[in-house]
Structures are given as C-alpha cells and as structure tokens.
Amino acid sequence: MINKENKDIFISVVMTVFNAEKTVKQTIESVLRQTHDKIEFIIVDDASTDKTVEIIKSIEDSRIRFLSVDKNRHAAVAANVGLNLIKGDYVAKIDADDYWDEKKLEIQLDYMQKHPECGAYFTKIHLVGENGEDIEALYPDLYQLFNITFDTRREWMQFFVNQGNCLIHPSVLLRTSLIKEVGFHDIFFLQALDFEWWLRILLKSEIRVCEEKLTYYRWENNPDVKISSDGEKSNTRFLNEKFLAIIKLFWNMTDDEFCYFFGEYFRDKDAKGSLALACEKAFYMIDYLGDKGPYALWAVQSLAEIYKQEEGRKLLEEVYHYNIKDGYNIYTQHFFFDTILKEKIEKLKERDSQKNYQIALLEAEKESLLKENEREHKDAYEKGLENERLQNQLEWQKRLREHLEAEKTSLLAQMSSIEEKRLSLLHKVNILEKERLRLFDELSQIFGSHSWKMTKSLRALGNILRRMKQR
C-alpha cells in the first residue's frame, strides 16, 4: 500500500541508452508501472545506431523526457547530461537492459524518508540472463558479491578500497542534495564510473541496502564474451581506473576522514598531523594494497617526498623505523606486472593443474583397466584350465562310455553265445530225457515181462557171486 505521506514526493529517474533495441522497452515499462508514479523519466540516447530511438518514441507517457546527444561519448557524459536535468527530491538510475520490481521506488522512498542519515539506498538483486532467465546458480560468486551488505560506512569503504565494487547503480535511490554535494560523474572514468562515485558518496553519507530483491540485473551469460579481447580490455581498464579512483580518494580525503575509515590499520596508532597521516596513507598502500598493482609504487614515491624533508626523515626513521634502504628494497618489487596477465597465468596454471589432475585420473583409470584386464586374463586362463580339465574329464568319460559300451556289447555277445549253448544243452537234455523215458519204458516193459520174473533167482545168485568176488 502506498504511503500517502510520500505520494507527492517527486523522483527523477535517469537512464542512458545506446543500441539497446532488444531490452529498452521492458526497462521503460518497468519504470512507468512503479506504484510510486510521481516521477520524471529522463532518457538520454547516446547516439544509438539501431532501432532504440524509434522504440522509445513509440511509447507515449507524459512523464518521459527524451533527448538524444549528437555524438556517442559513452556513459559518463550521457549520464551527466541527464543528471543536469533532474528536478526531483530523489534520483534513481537504471540501464537500458535492466528492469525493476513495480514496488522498488515506493519501498526505497519510504525507507529514506524515515532515515534521513541515509543518502543512498540500494536494493538486492535478481541476476538474470539475456532473456530474463534466472542465472544465479550459474554465477554464485557474482550473485553473492552483488548482494553483499555491511552495517557501517567504515566497512563499506574498506571493502571498496581493498576489494572493489559490489553495488550496481540500477538498484540505487539517491538524495538529490547528496548528488549536489559530491558532484556528477567523473567523465574520465568508464569501467569504474560507479565505483569512483560510490567512494565520493561514502565520504559524505551513510549507505544502506534493502534486503528485498527489487532490481533485475541482466548479466551477459556468454563466457566467450568475457574472455574475448574486448572483455580483457574492459577488465584491464577497470583495474587501471580503480587504481586512479583510490589514489584520487586518498589524495582528496581529509585527515579526519582517513582516520575514521582506516585508523584501525595505522602502524602508529597515535599518529597525528598531516605529515604522519601522509605516512600512514603510504604504509596502508604498502601493507594492504601492495599486491594489487602500482599502489606500492605510489606509496614509496610519497614516502620519498616525505623523507626529503628533515621533519619527515626524522618521523620515518624514529617512529616508523623506515629509511632510504627500505625504499630501495620496495623498488625491487614488480610494480608493473600486469594483473590481467597474472590472472591469465593463474588460469593457465589452473588449467595445467586440471589437465594434470585429468591425466592422473586417466592414469589411474588406465592402471585400473590394466589390472582389470590382467584379472580378466587370469580369470580366462583359470577358466581355460578349468575348461581343459573339464574337456579332459569329458574325453575320459567319453572313452569310458565307449569302453563300457564295448564291454556291454561283448557281454551281450557272450550272453547270446551262452544262451545259445544253454538252448543247445537244453535241447540235448530234452533228447536225453526222451531217451530216458524211452529206456524207462523199455525197462518197465522188461520188468513187467514173464521172462524177467522167471530169471529173478538167477539174478540174485549172480549178485551174491559178484559180491563174494569183490571181497
């Protein structure tokens, strides 16, 4: 629900655009449908060559203030043209490929009205691809970076100086009074345009980040673009501009501001006075930024100028135990070692490490396959032996079966011969039996005959005589 107390507060929205025909309509519509609709929408075309201008002019809304510059001079110049036209109490910025949740301005305005100490209020973001798809899981480190938050201005400043930018301007709502105090964009910054602006804003005001994700930030989901020559140029330009922005910050920072933001890192916790704080600035560069480009070179040059002064030499030698020889040693560092080249070398080392890891995996796989092959050969050999044993056993069984079959055949032949002999003997027995019966018949006839009976006494006598003869 819109806060009625804030409904009449005027907000200026500034957008610079260059050749964004694919996304500009969605961006404009997301601004125009804001629940807080008391806005002016200043659109500055930076001499587009595609259909961007045609698309913008086709959208009819009285809140749009459109102008096109005569020549492309990049974002800083075009943004300053728009900022120079603002009439609102607050200013929001957006790029032509990003878009907002419809309640973004309302929620931010309500917070800032309640917290006058806050000069810039950002939101957390959705990370989306070319077609608005969620790519947060593809770039977890980037997503985490753009959604980071700190409690104090000191923490913000230290992160920006030590690490880099973590805030995106399409998510910000600024007080117009703060912009007038810190000034517009420095037109000599391109890649670190916002980074340099945030540093100036932090010097003057508290900043906060809304926990709600109200900004859709489009990220080029194409790795080939990021490693192209243009991508490398952009990264190199950012590192160079970041160095210049931090040197500019340290140069323009008051002694009180420097003590507030970085006093906890002083070598001499009791450091006071411009000369001592100049030493501390140089030592901060050496101690905390020495491995990130030419900071240490700038620092040792600053110390050299301090050392040339009698008071400075005494301060450096007696308090900081630093002398000219220390400066000579610092000069042995590779100040001009290209950070991008260093990253490339690290990536190559990482690739080599990955390749070595892959080679090691392949070697391990090869060793495993060899062992498996050896095991298979051994198994096959053992199976071969087993098969040979089984084959021999089968051969032996075959021969045994053949032998037994021969034995069986022989026995059957013998049985057949015996059977023939038995039948022959049986035949003979039958013949003898018939003969016996015939003889028995004949004897019976004889025994029953009259002559047999008459000779009975003679046969008895004959038997007695034979027995006597045997005695």
Side-chain angles (χ1 to χ4, degrees):
M1 183 176 179
I2 298 175
N3 189 328
K4 293 181 179 180
E5 295 179 359
N6 299 333
K7 66 182 182 66
D8 294 326
I9 296 176
F10 198 49
I11 298 177
S12 297
V13 180
V14 177
M15 180 179 77
T16 60
V17 57
F18 176 74
N19 288 354
E21 61 182 7
K22 293 182 179 179
T23 58
V24 67
K25 185 177 181 180
Q26 182 184 23
T27 301
I28 293 174
E29 289 175 346
S30 78
V31 174
L32 297 178
R33 70 167 179 262
Q34 290 295 299
T35 52
H36 182 90
D37 58 0
K38 187 87 181 267
I39 64 172
E40 63 170 351
F41 191 6
I42 302 169
I43 303 176
V44 182
D45 175 66
D46 199 15
S48 294
T49 58
D50 63 359
K51 295 181 180 179
T52 296
V53 174
E54 181 182 337
I55 294 170
I56 295 172
K57 289 183 176 180
S58 70
I59 301 173
E60 296 182 2
D61 193 297
S62 60
R63 295 171 294 175
I64 295 177
R65 298 174 62 190
F66 175 71
L67 65 153
S68 185
V69 298
D70 61 336
K71 184 178 181 180
N72 180 268
R73 295 182 179 86
H74 292 298
V77 175
N80 284 351
V81 170
L83 290 172
N84 197 46
L85 298 174
I86 59 176
K87 297 178 181 179
D89 302 299
Y90 293 90
V91 177
K93 292 189 67 185
I94 191 169
D95 282 334
D97 56 351
D98 305 316
Y99 53 100
W100 291 340
D101 182 281
E102 62 181 11
K103 291 186 178 181
K104 175 183 180 292
L105 294 181
E106 177 191 346
I107 291 172
Q108 288 181 295
L109 179 60
D110 184 59
Y111 179 88
M112 295 191 76
Q113 285 291 96
K114 295 175 181 177
H115 297 84
E117 78 284 357
C118 178
Y121 191 45
F122 299 81
T123 79
K124 290 192 172 182
I125 69 159
H126 295 278
L127 196 63
V128 297
E130 182 180 355
N131 300 313
E133 70 275 19
D134 185 339
I135 59 170
E136 293 167 5
L138 296 177
Y139 301 96
D141 293 339
L142 186 69
Y143 173 71
Q144 184 178 7
L145 174 67
F146 288 149
N147 284 296
I148 199 170
T149 185
F150 296 103
D151 295 327
T152 67
R153 195 156 51 114
R154 182 184 290 110
E155 290 175 301
W156 280 111
M157 181 64 79
Q158 290 174 6
F159 183 87
F160 270 87
V161 171
N162 296 343
Q163 302 297 328
N165 192 16
C166 61
L167 298 171
I168 60 169
H169 72 259
S171 75
V172 73
L173 183 67
L174 292 151
R175 296 186 190 276
T176 301
S177 58
L178 178 60
I179 294 177
K180 291 179 179 179
E181 184 178 3
V182 302
F184 293 166
H185 293 295
D186 188 327
I187 62 172
F188 291 102
F189 286 88
L190 176 62
Q191 219 66 35
L193 176 67
D194 298 330
F195 175 76
E196 189 274 334
W197 209 28
W198 304 149
L199 290 177
R200 279 188 277 146
I201 286 172
L202 275 170
L203 283 178
K204 304 300 179 183
S205 173
E206 296 288 344
I207 68 172
R208 296 285 187 272
V209 176
C210 175
E211 288 298 319
E212 295 186 64
K213 297 193 289 186
L214 303 172
T215 303
Y216 291 81
Y217 184 63
R218 205 181 302 268
W219 184 257
E220 179 62 61
N221 187 21
N222 184 353
D224 292 335
V225 173
K226 296 175 179 59
I227 62 174
S228 65
S229 58
D230 288 339
E232 181 179 329
K233 287 178 182 178
S234 296
N235 292 334
T236 302
R237 183 165 53 236
F238 174 77
L239 291 173
N240 290 333
E241 290 182 1
K242 178 175 180 283
F243 166 72
L244 294 174
I246 291 176
I247 295 300
K248 178 182 176 182
L249 171 74
F250 274 49
W251 187 263
N252 294 324
M253 194 181 293
T254 65
D255 290 345
D256 287 341
E257 288 170 340
F258 182 67
C259 289
Y260 170 74
F261 288 114
F262 301 103
E264 62 188 289
Y265 297 100
F266 284 4
R267 288 191 179 185
D268 177 16
K269 303 300 182 182
D270 298 323
K272 294 178 181 179
S274 297
L275 200 60
L277 293 178
C279 292
E280 290 294 347
K281 286 181 181 181
F283 286 129
Y284 186 86
M285 294 277 188
I286 292 171
D287 294 341
Y288 299 101
L289 302 179
D291 62 340
K292 300 177 182 177
Y295 299 100
L297 181 60
W298 181 89
V300 77
Q301 186 179 13
S302 298
L303 292 172
E305 293 301 318
I306 295 171
Y307 199 84
K308 291 176 183 178
Q309 306 173 45
E310 180 63 27
E311 184 182 355
R313 181 191 60 76
K314 185 177 180 181
L315 177 67
L316 285 171
E317 290 185 348
E318 294 181 4
V319 176
Y320 294 102
H321 308 290
Y322 176 91
N323 59 44
I324 196 67
K325 291 182 180 180
D326 296 315
Y328 296 156
N329 289 331
I330 293 174
Y331 277 131
T332 62
Q333 298 180 31
H334 293 273
F335 296 118
F336 301 103
F337 186 71
D338 194 321
T339 306
I340 298 296
L341 182 59
K342 182 179 179 181
E343 289 180 0
K344 284 187 174 182
I345 292 172
E346 291 300 323
K347 286 181 180 178
L348 287 173
K349 287 181 179 179
E350 183 179 350
R351 288 179 184 176
D352 285 342
S353 178
Q354 290 176 349
K355 286 180 180 178
N356 290 334
Y357 177 68
Q358 292 296 328
I359 289 172
L361 288 179
L362 290 172
E363 287 292 338
E365 186 177 356
K366 174 185 174 183
E367 187 67 23
S368 176
L369 289 172
L370 287 173
K371 288 182 178 179
E372 181 68 22
N373 191 39
E374 182 180 350
R375 185 165 55 253
E376 288 179 355
H377 275 78
K378 183 179 179 181
D379 291 344
Y381 174 73
E382 290 177 352
K383 286 179 180 178
L385 291 177
E386 180 66 17
N387 288 337
E388 184 178 356
R389 186 183 66 80
L390 291 173
Q391 189 65 32
N392 291 336
Q393 189 174 12
L394 289 173
E395 289 292 332
W396 178 80
Q397 290 177 349
K398 180 181 177 182
R399 289 195 298 269
L400 181 60
R401 281 197 301 271
E402 291 176 349
H403 175 72
L404 291 174
E405 191 66 29
E407 286 287 326
K408 176 183 175 182
T409 303
S410 176
L411 289 172
L412 287 173
Q414 290 178 26
M415 288 175 65
S416 178
S417 176
I418 291 171
E419 182 65 15
E420 288 177 1
K421 291 178 179 180
R422 185 184 71 81
L423 292 174
S424 177
L425 290 173
L426 185 61
H427 179 66
K428 290 179 178 180
V429 168
N430 288 334
I431 293 173
L432 290 174
E433 181 65 18
K434 288 179 180 180
E435 181 67 20
R436 183 186 69 80
L437 292 174
R438 186 186 64 80
L439 291 175
F440 182 77
D441 239 5
E442 290 180 356
L443 286 174
S444 294
Q445 292 175 8
I446 292 172
F447 291 154
S449 66
H450 181 71
S451 59
W452 177 265
K453 292 178 180 178
M454 289 183 65
T455 60
K456 179 178 179 183
S457 57
L458 292 174
R459 287 195 306 275
L461 180 63
N463 287 334
I464 293 170
L465 290 174
R466 277 194 300 273
R467 284 195 296 268
M468 290 177 63
K469 186 178 180 180
Q470 289 176 354
R471 294 177 179 173

